[in-house]
Amino acid sequence: MTNKGVVTKVEGDTLTIVFERHEACGDCHACMHGSENCGKHTIKLKGKAQLGDIVEVEMDDSHVMAASAMAYLIPLAGFILGFLGGWLLSRTVISINAELLMALCAAAGTAAAYFVMRWLDPHFSKGRWEQKIISITHPEE
């Protein structure tokens, strides 16, 4: 999967690149359609480019699919484990409404999954999961 973006900031060998909304995004408007940052995605990569350069970035399609699967499956697993934990707790001596307890535990499991994903992110953003710059074009070319 390749995307083209514009270098908006250069700090040493770290580039901040802004991408326009990808065609595959469709019309879901999850990026808060209508806001100032609608459809703009920013990443930081190591590379040598100048401010305003157009950069083409690539990530292997199989890694994109695996990353997408993890982004959906980890929170789902947290939700299900929290829900089941709430169900098990409701079967014990806890005298709270069972449905409320299961909902609270499911929310807690989802929140825990969020923190797990935040912890895993630095580990997965390196190596084979890292995006690579494949071309740099100066705007006047």
Side-chain angles (χ1 to χ4, degrees):
M1 175 180 208
T2 61
N3 288 325
K4 286 187 180 181
V6 177
V7 177
T8 58
K9 189 176 184 183
V10 179
E11 293 177 342
D13 64 344
T14 301
L15 308 172
T16 300
I17 305 168
V18 176
F19 298 96
E20 291 297 321
R21 185 169 65 95
H22 198 272
E23 292 173 11
C25 292
D27 294 322
C28 76
H29 306 297
C31 59
M32 299 194 227
H33 185 69
S35 71
E36 182 179 304
N37 293 324
C38 175
K40 299 207 183 296
H41 305 283
T42 306
I43 65 167
K44 291 187 177 192
L45 284 176
K46 299 278 187 197
K48 298 204 182 301
Q50 299 172 6
L51 195 64
D53 284 353
I54 299 169
V55 177
E56 191 170 1
V57 176
E58 179 181 54
M59 184 175 186
D60 186 22
D61 288 339
S62 65
H63 300 315
V64 172
M65 293 299 292
S68 296
M70 284 189 345
Y72 285 104
L73 293 178
I74 290 174
L76 179 64
F79 177 83
I80 291 172
L81 289 174
F83 184 82
L84 290 175
W87 179 76
L88 289 173
L89 284 174
S90 72
R91 299 289 176 233
T92 62
V93 293
I94 296 177
S95 62
I96 191 172
N97 184 349
E99 288 84 9
L100 178 62
L101 182 63
M102 289 188 290
L104 290 173
C105 288
T110 305
Y114 168 78
F115 289 110
V116 167
M117 289 180 63
R118 295 284 298 191
W119 177 75
L120 288 174
D121 184 50
H123 304 290
F124 285 126
S125 62
K126 303 288 184 235
R128 70 183 183 127
W129 299 88
E130 192 171 23
Q131 298 182 26
K132 293 170 182 45
I133 296 174
I134 56 173
S135 73
I136 299 171
T137 308
H138 301 293
E140 55 274 351
E141 290 180 4

